[in-house]
Amino acid sequence: LQHHGGARVDIYEKLPVPFGLVRFGVAPDHPEVKNVIRAFTQTARSQRCAYYGNVTVGRDVALAELRQAYHAVVLSYGAEDNQVLGIPGENLSGVHSARAFVGWYNGLPENQGLKPDLSCETALIVGQGNVALDIARILLAPLSLLQKTDITEGALAALACSKVKRVWLVGRRGPLQAAFTIKELREMINLPGARPVLNPADFTGLEDAIKDTPRPRKRLTELMIKTALEKPGEKTVEVQAAAPREWGLKFQRSPQEVLPTADGRRARGIRMALTRLEGSGDSAKAIPTGDVEELECGLVLSSIGYRSLPLDPSVPFDTQRGIIPNSSGRVEGVPGLYCSGWVKRGPTGVIITTMNDSFDTAQSVLEDLQEGVLDVSTSREGFGAVGSILRDRGVRPVSFSDWEKIDAAEVARGKAAGKPREKIVDPQEMLQLIGH
């Protein structure tokens, strides 16, 4: 819209509400990260941009129909599945994917029936990325902290009765391969009422190993070493002794099996293979040593990554990497079709990474327009065509001004509860609210 005065952009979204991962992925106690919504809202209010929520592409309208109605189509639907551990016991009650757990406390409609059992004392998270730290923080944060956020009513009520007081974050590899960033780690170390438990032996010799590593990795490792070796001073002793909750990092352990309770229904613990590392840096591989360790835990959350799914058989898809094969966002072998975000380069990076990535794809569309790769000599009807297809199929899209009514209702409900907003978690309720 900025670089082409004649461009019009229509956005289709399966949920009635916009903003995807910013609304449903960012932790409720990180409101500053959601500020990007302001820029998104400005774009959506442009005369040349329209939002159509409550429309599932591939079901309500076929991709082929979209391609007929528009000069260019960009697939930017992210990663809506998760990687599985692939171990026995993964389907026991008490085992959830991080994706579903985050969706539960963030109000993603499909995860509202999750009902995680928080009656155990120890929870274990498989994975050591920022999402794993988010979950650990939400499980251990003082309620007074969460009450001021947009966490859902249901999640807040469940956490108020939670018995969880210990959270382990487990990784197959070592401290030098941990995937979280320093900001998130520091926040976790400073979490009120929770003390970090790091084993000094895990960090032996690492000071030398990090001399030549890039600065972010070096600073992150130094912070872990400092936390592991910290000799509590007088003041800290009192604070730490008073800390009713704790969390820790367990390295070089690879989950082998979730152990069931006697009745075979619930998780009671996990068996892990101890590993040794072959190679160094990011390419180091974890090789089982043959030794195993068992740990008791009633809640297991698997945070080992997200995964994109193919949308339509006509679109090439690399199932190994979980992406649409593309070059700078141009889908291979399908002119006029583009992709952006996690479905373009895999589920890594933060919001700014994804934004830069979308600028790169937009650049490709603009170049193709300039160079005549996109044939704009014939006009396309855009929503004019799609709207009548949706009407025939009984689908009523939600507009951006409809969303603003839902938004206002959420903010008003939040205000009454002393929160920035109270998310509506039932799409039917959203639709009723706007008279659909």
Side-chain angles (χ1 to χ4, degrees):
L1 296 171
Q2 263 177 9
H3 296 288
H4 192 296
R8 298 188 64 90
V9 181
D10 291 345
I11 299 169
Y12 292 91
E13 160 63 45
K14 121 179 132 168
L15 289 168
V17 294
F19 309 135
L21 209 58
V22 180
R23 177 178 166 104
F24 297 117
V26 173
D29 58 343
H30 283 175
E32 72 290 349
V33 181
K34 303 185 193 198
N35 288 342
V36 68
I37 282 177
R38 288 186 202 142
F40 291 166
T41 298
Q42 218 177 332
T43 305
R45 284 181 179 155
S46 153
Q47 292 302 300
R48 295 185 287 126
C49 181
Y51 169 82
Y52 301 104
N54 197 36
V55 176
T56 302
V57 174
R59 184 191 72 194
D60 301 334
V61 58
L63 184 63
E65 292 168 323
L66 287 181
R67 295 194 61 213
Q68 234 163 348
Y70 294 88
H71 294 109
V73 174
V74 182
L75 300 174
S76 183
Y77 61 87
E80 52 181 337
D81 198 9
N82 51 275
Q83 299 285 10
V84 294
L85 289 166
I87 60 171
E90 188 168 9
N91 300 324
L92 288 169
S93 171
V95 184
H96 306 284
S97 72
R99 190 186 178 286
F101 193 78
V102 170
W104 169 71
Y105 64 65
N106 271 336
L108 185 61
E110 67 187 69
N111 299 130
Q112 290 319 292
L114 195 72
K115 299 193 175 41
D117 182 354
L118 305 177
S119 65
C120 59
E121 287 196 352
T122 305
L124 181 134
I125 303 169
V126 181
Q128 293 181 332
N130 282 344
V131 175
L133 278 187
D134 276 346
I135 291 173
R137 206 177 58 253
I138 298 293
L139 282 171
L140 297 176
L143 222 55
S144 57
L145 213 99
L146 295 176
Q147 277 161 343
K148 300 185 186 80
T149 72
D150 68 2
I151 191 167
T152 64
E153 217 172 1
L156 195 59
L159 288 162
C161 311
S162 169
K163 300 272 187 291
V164 176
K165 60 179 195 186
R166 189 179 305 103
V167 178
W168 295 113
L169 294 98
V170 172
R172 292 183 308 221
R173 301 189 296 169
L176 294 181
Q177 288 79 30
F180 45 71
T181 47
I182 193 160
K183 176 184 171 287
E184 278 69 19
L185 178 66
R186 192 177 288 122
E187 198 179 356
M188 194 71 206
I189 291 169
N190 296 329
L191 186 69
R195 66 187 188 97
V197 183
L198 300 188
N199 181 358
D202 287 336
F203 301 93
T204 312
L206 283 196
E207 270 131 333
D208 290 337
I210 56 170
K211 281 196 178 110
D212 304 321
T213 55
R215 190 160 177 263
R217 171 66 67 193
K218 191 174 176 194
R219 288 178 58 225
L220 178 69
T221 312
E222 283 167 351
L223 179 58
M224 285 192 272
I225 294 172
K226 179 174 172 279
T227 309
L229 302 181
E230 208 146 61
K231 296 279 180 282
E234 288 308 307
K235 187 161 169 263
T236 341
V237 171
E238 286 165 40
V239 176
Q240 297 292 33
R245 298 173 165 190
E246 60 181 28
W247 63 276
L249 300 168
K250 286 189 177 287
F251 297 105
Q252 291 183 237
R253 286 162 170 80
S254 177
Q256 275 189 329
E257 183 182 356
V258 180
L259 306 168
T261 47
D263 64 6
R265 288 192 189 154
R266 294 194 40 77
R268 66 164 174 87
I270 194 160
R271 179 184 300 121
M272 300 175 287
L274 303 187
T275 65
R276 60 183 171 80
L277 293 188
E278 256 180 29
S280 60
D282 288 342
S283 56
K285 288 208 168 1
I287 313 292
T289 60
D291 291 328
V292 296
E293 174 182 280
E294 287 186 8
L295 198 77
E296 254 180 76
C297 52
L299 180 65
V300 177
L301 298 159
S302 147
S303 182
I304 55 169
Y306 290 49
R307 200 171 59 137
S308 295
L309 299 170
L311 182 77
D312 184 284
S314 68
V315 184
F317 194 80
D318 178 341
T319 44
Q320 276 313 104
R321 295 171 61 205
I323 59 165
I324 295 170
N326 70 89
S327 140
S328 294
R330 297 176 178 91
V331 175
E332 270 174 27
V334 194
L337 190 62
Y338 303 83
C339 58
S340 178
W342 284 4
V343 77
K344 169 183 172 185
R345 58 177 172 84
T348 57
V350 289
I351 289 169
I352 191 68
T353 331
T354 307
M355 281 176 70
N356 286 330
D357 180 65
S358 65
F359 301 154
D360 169 63
T361 293
Q363 196 53 48
S364 296
V365 178
L366 290 164
E367 280 169 18
D368 289 357
L369 255 174
Q370 234 168 358
E371 287 160 24
V373 177
L374 294 174
D375 175 21
V376 287
S377 58
T378 52
S379 72
R380 300 279 175 103
E381 280 185 73
F383 186 71
V386 177
S388 53
I389 290 172
L390 294 175
R391 264 194 307 281
D392 291 346
R393 292 176 188 161
V395 178
R396 285 184 71 179
V398 169
S399 69
F400 200 75
S401 56
D402 287 333
W403 147 246
E404 294 189 305
K405 286 177 201 153
I406 298 169
D407 180 41
E410 290 189 340
V411 171
R413 290 180 190 191
K415 203 170 180 183
K419 300 167 69 177
R421 76 170 61 236
E422 186 59 69
K423 286 181 187 164
I424 297 169
V425 296
D426 177 10
Q428 284 320 111
E429 194 184 334
M430 294 174 188
L431 297 176
Q432 271 164 357
L433 192 82
I434 54 174
H436 264 45

